Amino acid sequence: MKYIARHMEKRIMELSESYSAILLTGPRQSGKTTMLRSLAEKENKGREYVSLDDLTTRDMAKNDPALFLQMHKPPVLIDEVQYAPELFTYIKIHIDEHHNPGDFWMTGSQIFRLMRCVQESLAGWVALLHMSPLSQREIIGADCVPFTTDTETLIEECRKISPVDTPTLFERIWRGSMPGIVSGLYPDRNMYYSSYLSTYVERDVRDISGTVNALKFNRFITAVAARTSQLLNYQALAEDAEIDIQTSKAWVNILETLGIIFLLHPYSNNVLKRTIKTPKVYFYDTGLVCYLTKWSSPEVAESGAMSGALLENFTVSEIVKGYQNAGLEPYLYFYRDRDAKEIDVILEGDGKLCPLEIKKTATPDKRIVRTFGVIDKSPLQLGTGAVLCMAEQLGAFDRENLIVPIWAI
């Protein structure tokens, strides 16, 4: 199996120079442990690896954290640390006494900002990073460049990356971005996703919620996948899975906590009063969406009813991954108001709002960018907009509105 270098490697090593503890969260099988163990070998400090998936080790970490840290002295890599939050207080005491940068590397299969009770114990002393499944840039070996509508940056990036056609892009969307599949370790994609859901996702849902009806949960996650890139509708999901709306909300929260899905919130401010408040839902891995919604091949996915939603999910998740991999917070929103005016994505940064539309066409119509004016009333300046589409090369309608090929993201 070929190890695929991760963009986050550089950021981890930089942070290890100043932070005593680094916590890397993200979904199971996204490559967190593989990357950190690879970095530990390169740094050559004799860093010990210990996993709390092991029940005996976990028991010690939970019931006698002081003894655990005596037995596993820094520098140490602690895997699946969410199983023993009791450790955090003792790690903090150790850091207060010793102040050694890079002492603790930790991974967690839950996104800690979404976990109850943990935020207070982590505040201020740990560098928090989130790692998703592979980005396309990691897969093709391109540099880590978070998406921007800056023309010079886009010209440079389009020069470096080889264009791909629509069938090739849908092959990537359908295959997904889990390291186990991309690296060739698991050639049978269907078998991989089937066991991923039953081995990891269901087990973790059970860990968080105490009990789960596996059949109903499977129906539920399939219903979420069928509505990817759409407004989140708890009631419709509940009806599909034959559960109540409270369970529907709890399960969405769990999928978000496990790093399976993420929510894009609507952009609004005091001036834009007519905007809706409901978020949109996306998956980090489009391969899982295609598996759950039973698209049997890239060709069928490309020609099917969900092709536009799949392309939007892929594009938005790639933008998010680009920022996460650089260790940055992605400030992404969407716009929709009660007059049915809509902008797929709004990228906020440097006091500007950059509107983005995602279209499954190689030749977008200039009328698409007319809606960009609706956010002109915002206190922030309207930045360069773009239509992200299947164009073969970078283009523009005018100075303020670009045509950006999705393969260049």
Side-chain angles (χ1 to χ4, degrees), residues 203-259:
R203 189 181 79 188
D204 286 342
V205 172
R206 208 171 280 117
D207 278 344
I208 295 172
S209 66
T211 172
V212 64
N213 178 319
L215 204 62
K216 286 187 176 180
F217 182 77
N218 214 43
R219 268 194 228 133
F220 178 79
I221 192 172
T222 303
V224 179
R227 289 176 173 80
T228 191
S229 310
Q230 294 179 27
L231 294 176
L232 184 57
N233 184 333
Y234 292 111
Q235 185 62 51
L237 294 173
E239 284 167 11
D240 279 6
E242 295 174 6
I243 54 175
D244 60 55
I245 195 156
Q246 257 49 55
T247 307
S248 175
K249 287 179 177 177
W251 283 359
V252 164
N253 186 261
I254 288 170
L255 287 176
E256 203 187 351
T257 304
L258 294 175

Side-chain angles (χ1 to χ4, degrees), residues 333-344:
Y333 309 92
F334 73 97
Y335 178 91
R336 187 178 294 187
D337 62 27
R338 289 176 204 148
D339 305 320
K341 292 197 177 86
E342 191 177 350
I343 299 169
D344 288 338

Side-chain angles (χ1 to χ4, degrees), residues 261-280:
I261 62 170
F262 62 95
L263 304 182
L264 202 61
H265 291 276
Y267 180 79
S268 65
N269 58 45
N270 296 336
V271 185
L272 304 168
K273 286 190 169 35
R274 292 183 61 76
T275 51
I276 60 154
K277 303 284 186 278
T278 313
K280 283 167 82 171

Side-chain angles (χ1 to χ4, degrees), residues 72-92:
H72 307 288
K73 287 189 165 60
V76 62
L77 163 53
I78 305 170
D79 214 358
E80 302 299 353
V81 74
Q82 76 273 2
Y83 288 131
E86 295 84 356
L87 274 176
F88 292 132
T89 306
Y90 289 83
I91 290 173
K92 189 173 184 298

Side-chain angles (χ1 to χ4, degrees), residues 141-159:
D143 294 336
C144 180
V145 181
F147 180 75
T148 171
T149 55
D150 175 70
T151 311
E152 289 303 314
T153 306
L154 287 168
I155 290 169
E156 187 63 28
E157 289 310 303
C158 285
R159 252 191 226 123

